[in-house]
Amino acid sequence: MSFARTYSVALVGITGHMVEVEADISNALPGFVLLGLPDAALNESKDRVRSATKNSGIPLPQHKVTVNLTPATLPKKGSAFDLAMVVAALQAAGEIKHSGKTVYLGELGLDGSIRSVPGILPAVKAAVDAGFESVVVPAENVEEAQLVSGASISGFSCLAEVFVALGADAHTVKYPKTVEKAKPHSAPNLQLAPDMADVAGQSEGRLALEIAAAGGHHLLLNGPPGSGKTMLAERLTGILPELDDHSAMDVTAIHSLSSGGGQYKELIRIPPFEAPHHSASAPAILGGGTGIPRPGSVSKAHRGVLFLDEAPEFKRTVLDALRQPLESGEIVLDRAAAQAKYPARFQLVLACNPCPCGLNTGRGLHCTCSSRERRAYFGKLSGPLLDRIDLQITVPKVSSVELATSSNNEPSRSIKERVKQARAAQQERLKPFGLLTNADTNGKVLRGPLKLDSKLTRELSASMDQGKLTARGYDRVLRTAWTIADLEGATSPTSDHLDLALYFRHMATSAQ
């Protein structure tokens, strides 16, 4: 038989597409033709395959080998198709037996070793969803692949092992010299987050952080250098509930794709924390690259926190580009080769100084910035972006008394319990609408089934009529009020809850 077919997976974003790897052996001059829109790394597989099979004891036949990756119109990227191509080619040559509907994933070394590849988790999940139960992966990726239920996983460290499993003579195959295996990749943020007990003073900041965690709200921290903005932001993930199975699978899939071949032994349960430097480019933050776009910080922070320290120092185009994923919870990246869609449901935390020198606090006697410089600095945060930030607070300098008594501060574990209870109340209330947190609610729900009495919202309506609030801001104040009510165990917001939500809405910007 001169024709054979195996299966692999092409990832576009974290969505996997099944690929038929067809191999044909023809009586023509020796050569290797690869079809099906391969990228540069995949094109190089022709040489990897030839060397790997030769050094494993069963070389490719001295004929023309044609490999087609179907569907041919789908762009293919990376080296994960190497193993499927070898198996298909040698099956077509009659050197090994056919394996049926088995999916092969793995990169080949020139010595015949099988190396780990990124994106194993979403690739195996795609195979299982498509009805494939048998999946062959590199030995280093076995534990990650086994995180997907419903799949029979086989792990091999070299081609010789695969050949023997497919009926080749164990005495004719060659095993590569023992190589040091890569250390398992530790899942990010599995270590405990810093504790809230370390934060001195900042009673309003601690309360705002608790509200943000309970309702999934975005947060702006404005204050002088050294006041504790970064400390507060870094402790947000420590009071967030652990991820459920669905969210954990999505988050682990994104980090598996971004790991460069690292391995995950368990699903990521702790919400991720991403803090890119202010010099980061738009592709680094949003995702991108040549060919099929790769995930950026907004996707790596999915179901976690994206912290932008010194936010006004970021390019304004980058900051404004965050507006779309903040609303939709996903990022769509269009390129000439393909369109990739990544989840991006994160909590945005911005930190900034009140002015370029950072001393424009209180009476501002020590500030060296002109009024124009102050407006220009904070003006880098556009109105439409700030309109999407639910909680905007001022973080003042810490006094010596607060610093001396900081040992009595409430720890993260106590705050986390209240956050869990508030989240549970939200899930019960919002379940009929298919929503999880107050931050997910929209105007249709807030002004429909969850509509509050007009007497309670009178001041809120007045702020909107005076131009202090937009329609979006109106809804976001209502969301925050519902979260405050959930934290206090109330069945619905009171006027006090609405007043506090409105206070936190513009506290930082009104101080400018």
Side-chain angles (χ1 to χ4, degrees):
M1 183 177 181
S2 62
F3 175 83
R5 178 186 290 115
T6 56
Y7 301 89
S8 193
V9 180
L11 290 173
V12 180
I14 61 170
T15 303
H17 301 269
M18 297 309 302
V19 173
E20 295 183 2
V21 182
E22 302 172 328
D24 178 76
I25 309 294
S26 59
N27 291 322
L29 292 175
F32 197 121
V33 179
L34 181 58
L35 309 174
L37 290 184
D39 71 341
L42 185 50
N43 247 323
E44 293 172 349
S45 64
K46 295 181 289 187
D47 297 318
R48 289 197 299 271
V49 164
R50 281 205 177 277
S51 296
T53 54
K54 181 193 67 174
N55 292 325
S56 297
I58 307 180
L60 291 178
Q62 294 299 309
H63 299 289
K64 183 178 180 181
V65 179
T66 303
V67 175
N68 182 39
L69 307 178
T70 304
T73 56
L74 178 70
K76 320 298 189 306
K77 179 178 181 178
S79 56
F81 298 93
D82 289 4
L83 183 56
M85 292 165 56
V86 165
V87 173
L90 294 181
Q91 285 176 353
E95 298 286 353
I96 56 178
K97 67 182 181 180
H98 289 254
S99 53
K101 292 190 66 175
T102 299
V103 176
Y104 293 89
L105 301 165
E107 176 187 325
L108 296 179
L110 298 183
D111 60 351
S113 59
I114 302 176
R115 298 173 177 172
S116 62
V117 292
I120 282 290
L121 184 67
V124 174
K125 185 176 184 300
V128 172
D129 291 344
F132 292 82
E133 297 180 354
S134 178
V135 184
V136 174
V137 300
E140 296 174 25
N141 289 129
V142 168
E143 289 180 311
E144 181 179 332
Q146 289 174 339
L147 295 175
V148 181
S149 58
S152 175
I153 305 298
S154 301
F156 297 97
S157 60
C158 66
L159 272 181
E161 295 176 356
V162 177
F163 294 162
V164 171
L166 292 177
D169 188 347
H171 296 89
T172 61
V173 299
K174 298 178 181 178
Y175 291 83
K177 294 181 180 179
T178 304
V179 294
E180 184 179 353
K181 293 184 178 180
K183 296 181 179 179
H185 187 88
S186 58
N189 300 304
L190 288 181
Q191 69 275 13
L192 293 177
D195 201 292
M196 285 287 288
D198 302 332
V199 180
Q202 306 301 353
S203 57
E204 285 189 344
R206 294 169 65 91
L207 175 58
L209 210 68
E210 183 175 341
I211 295 171
H217 304 289
H218 308 304
L219 178 65
L220 168 68
L221 303 170
N222 179 22
S227 58
K229 303 185 295 296
T230 302
M231 285 189 69
L232 285 168
E234 290 175 342
R235 282 151 180 77
L236 179 53
T237 56
I239 59 176
L240 288 173
E242 292 186 354
L243 302 177
D244 58 27
D245 291 342
H246 179 72
S247 297
M249 183 64 74
D250 284 345
V251 170
T252 310
I254 293 170
H255 285 270
S256 172
L257 188 61
S258 308
S259 67
Q263 309 95 48
Y264 290 84
K265 293 186 176 183
E266 57 185 302
L267 293 178
I268 299 175
R269 295 287 182 179
I270 296 178
F273 181 85
E274 291 290 323
H277 191 262
H278 59 75
S279 62
S281 63
I285 301 292
L286 304 172
T290 58
I292 299 175
R294 295 185 61 80
S297 295
V298 296
S299 297
K300 295 175 185 177
H302 178 61
R303 295 300 177 187
V305 176
L306 177 64
F307 175 48
L308 303 185
D309 200 4
E310 303 294 343
E313 300 297 336
F314 283 80
K315 295 179 181 178
R316 179 159 180 169
T317 53
V318 173
L319 294 173
D320 286 341
L322 295 175
R323 286 147 52 180
Q324 183 265 331
L326 285 176
E327 291 291 336
S328 64
E330 64 180 18
I331 183 77
V332 180
L333 303 169
D334 288 297
R335 296 294 184 271
Q339 179 191 81
K341 182 185 295 185
Y342 293 102
R345 181 72 65 183
F346 57 90
Q347 285 184 249
L348 179 63
V349 179
L350 303 175
C352 63
N353 296 322
C355 65
C357 75
L359 300 178
N360 185 29
T361 59
R363 298 175 63 185
L365 298 179
H366 301 289
C367 178
T368 59
C369 305
S370 66
S371 57
R372 181 178 180 180
E373 289 174 329
R374 296 170 189 168
R375 288 193 300 270
Y377 175 79
F378 206 74
K380 293 179 182 178
L381 303 178
S382 66
L385 177 62
L386 291 176
D387 200 35
R388 290 168 167 80
I389 308 299
D390 306 335
L391 303 165
Q392 305 175 16
I393 70 164
T394 298
V395 182
K397 290 183 177 180
V398 179
S399 67
S400 58
V401 175
E402 291 173 327
L403 197 60
T405 58
S406 61
S407 58
N408 299 322
N409 288 339
E410 186 178 20
S412 292
R413 62 178 180 274
S414 301
I415 303 173
K416 188 174 183 176
E417 287 304 315
R418 292 197 297 271
V419 169
K420 286 182 178 180
Q421 293 173 9
R423 287 281 182 106
Q426 292 167 52
Q427 291 174 8
E428 182 178 355
R429 180 176 63 250
L430 299 175
K431 187 176 181 179
F433 315 112
L435 304 173
L436 294 177
T437 64
N438 289 328
D440 299 330
T441 55
N442 52 40
K444 184 178 180 180
V445 174
L446 292 169
R447 294 189 295 275
L450 300 183
K451 184 177 181 180
L452 300 178
D453 188 277
S454 58
K455 293 181 180 178
L456 287 175
T457 59
R458 185 178 301 163
E459 185 176 347
L460 196 59
S461 299
S463 295
M464 184 174 177
D465 293 337
Q466 294 168 8
K468 298 178 181 179
L469 278 179
T470 62
R472 181 190 291 115
Y474 183 96
D475 289 342
R476 289 184 177 274
V477 172
L478 290 176
R479 297 178 190 179
T480 305
W482 274 103
T483 301
I484 298 171
D486 290 332
L487 282 170
E488 295 186 0
T491 55
S492 64
T494 65
S495 58
D496 289 340
H497 298 148
L498 286 166
D499 289 344
L500 182 57
L502 188 59
Y503 169 74
F504 277 140
R505 173 72 182 174
H506 291 308
M507 182 174 65
T509 51
S510 62
Q512 299 307 306

